[in-house]
Amino acid sequence: MVKQGLVREVGQSELAGADQLIPASWEAARAADGKYYGVPFSAQTFALFVRKDWREKLGIAPPADWDQLDALATAFTTGDPDGNGKADTYGYVIPGTTKRGYMDWYFSSSLWSAGGEYFTGEGGSLAPALGSPEAVRAAQYLKDQFCSDKSVVPGAVTAETTQAHPLFETGKGGIYLTGPYNMARFDKALGKDKYEILPLPPGPGGKSAVLAEGENTYLMAGSKNPKGQLKYAEFLIGAEGQRAGMAGDTAGNVVRLPVNKSVRLAEVRQDTRWQVFDKVYREAGRYSPVVKEWTPFRQASAEAVNGMVADCGSDPGAVLGKLAGAFSEELKKQGAS
């Protein structure tokens, strides 16, 4: 829309209430030139959906770090948590297809939680950071789930979310990193008493970072009513608009998590599970890197990581080293190196 001249730049100083927004939320509207071409009004992030009934049956506490999370996944795989006497359950449900970059979408939270980054530098002076020890550790962690522990539901390397959702709700896998929009579906298909929402535990060094996403409202270029557009955006980000958009505990919400830091989600929604997502977003949410075109990077990463977990003889360090080279070439194309 920016390239086609359909939307105009939005200066935070011209927007009443802009100072009330959670600072990180503005990343959803920032372009590679450092300017903002939208106003964030809704956010979301991801948390672990865990089969609580399985966990309690096996007598395991909620995981507090990566090792404990992997141990829980292994127990779900080997401990017959559904009690049917068959080896037909697994730990992780992962939408690991390369389609639309799903595998990178999943991998990003592990990368950041391990202390890794996609890039170093800023603006037009970016360099790939995927060869760092932290990034390689995150890749090895994911590969081990597929290859050493074998705690991932079969077929994950070709699964997108439409195939992954049923694997959780039908009892094939017991741990699924996904968004709050799936609670209504799983409540109906599985039963809200059978699962719980837990934050992704911190990685090495005690850090947790989880992919964040969100929606913006855009001010159209050439509008005959620019003041009206601003008023509309100001309403959306104000306390009244945020509460109305959350729509209580109904399914009609257009604001998943509030971006206005003065709005307390608990005052609008009685379902306390939403508060887990809200806390994760405010404390650990991270948006994808801001470059001119993120899609080529995301797709290249998805294909590299997907190939790595599909080939148990692969070397994560070599895979990420090759990916870093591809990132370098793409940065040059985009004039960002």
Side-chain angles (χ1 to χ4, degrees), residues 2 62 136 263 273 291 320-321:
V2 173
V136 173
V263 175
R273 297 175 299 175
V291 290
L320 292 191

Side-chain angles (χ1 to χ4, degrees), residues 53-277:
D53 55 341
W54 290 7
R55 181 181 62 75
E56 291 180 341
K57 179 179 182 294
L58 297 176
I60 301 174
D65 56 33
W66 278 13
D67 288 342
Q68 291 181 17
L69 180 59
D70 273 350
L72 180 64
T74 298
F76 283 177
T77 305
T78 62
D80 190 24
D82 61 359
N84 69 355
K86 300 178 181 179
D88 58 356
T89 58
Y90 295 85
Y92 296 109
V93 174
I94 297 177
T97 179
T98 60
K99 184 178 179 181
R100 294 172 55 198
Y102 268 114
M103 182 54 100
D104 176 76
W105 174 91
Y106 184 87
F107 175 62
S108 59
S109 296
S110 296
L111 173 67
W112 291 323
S113 293
E117 299 287 346
Y118 287 98
F119 306 108
T120 58
E122 294 182 0
S125 301
L126 297 175
L130 289 170
S132 71
E134 293 82 4
V136 173
R137 182 169 184 174
Q140 184 69 59
Y141 169 70
L142 182 62
K143 182 190 170 188
D144 287 346
Q145 293 169 4
F146 280 84
C147 297
S148 301
D149 303 336
K150 301 185 185 301
S151 56
V152 179
V153 171
V157 293
T158 59
E160 52 187 288
T161 53
T162 52
Q163 288 88 47
H165 296 346
L167 295 174
F168 181 77
E169 63 194 9
T170 60
K172 295 300 182 183
I175 304 171
Y176 189 13
L177 182 69
T178 189
Y181 42 80
N182 278 322
M183 290 192 295
R185 171 179 175 148
F186 294 155
D187 285 355
K188 183 177 181 180
L190 183 60
K192 65 186 301 182
D193 60 317
K194 288 186 170 61
Y195 73 96
E196 60 194 339
I197 308 296
L198 302 175
L200 184 69
K207 177 181 179 181
S208 180
V210 184
L211 179 66
E213 298 174 328
E215 287 73 44
N216 303 321
T217 186
Y218 298 95
L219 280 59
M220 307 311 293
S223 170
K224 296 180 180 179
N225 185 19
K227 291 184 178 180
Q229 289 191 88
L230 273 177
K231 288 293 184 184
Y232 176 64
E234 289 168 356
F235 171 76
L236 286 179
I237 66 174
E240 181 184 359
Q242 292 277 282
R243 293 190 182 102
M246 283 193 284
D249 286 315
T250 71
N253 63 78
V254 294
V255 173
R256 287 173 175 165
L257 299 176
V259 295
N260 187 312
K261 58 189 177 185
S262 71
V263 175
R264 297 302 166 194
L265 187 144
E267 297 173 358
V268 183
R269 293 192 174 117
Q270 300 303 310
D271 187 342
T272 57
R273 297 175 299 175
W274 279 95
Q275 295 177 34
V276 177
F277 293 98

Side-chain angles (χ1 to χ4, degrees), residues 31-64:
D33 62 4
K35 299 177 181 179
Y36 298 91
Y37 293 93
V39 180
F41 72 89
S42 174
Q44 70 177 40
T45 191
F46 304 91
L48 296 173
F49 286 57
V50 176
R51 284 296 299 264
K52 181 181 179 182
D53 55 341
W54 290 7
R55 181 181 62 75
E56 291 180 341
K57 179 179 182 294
L58 297 176
I60 301 174

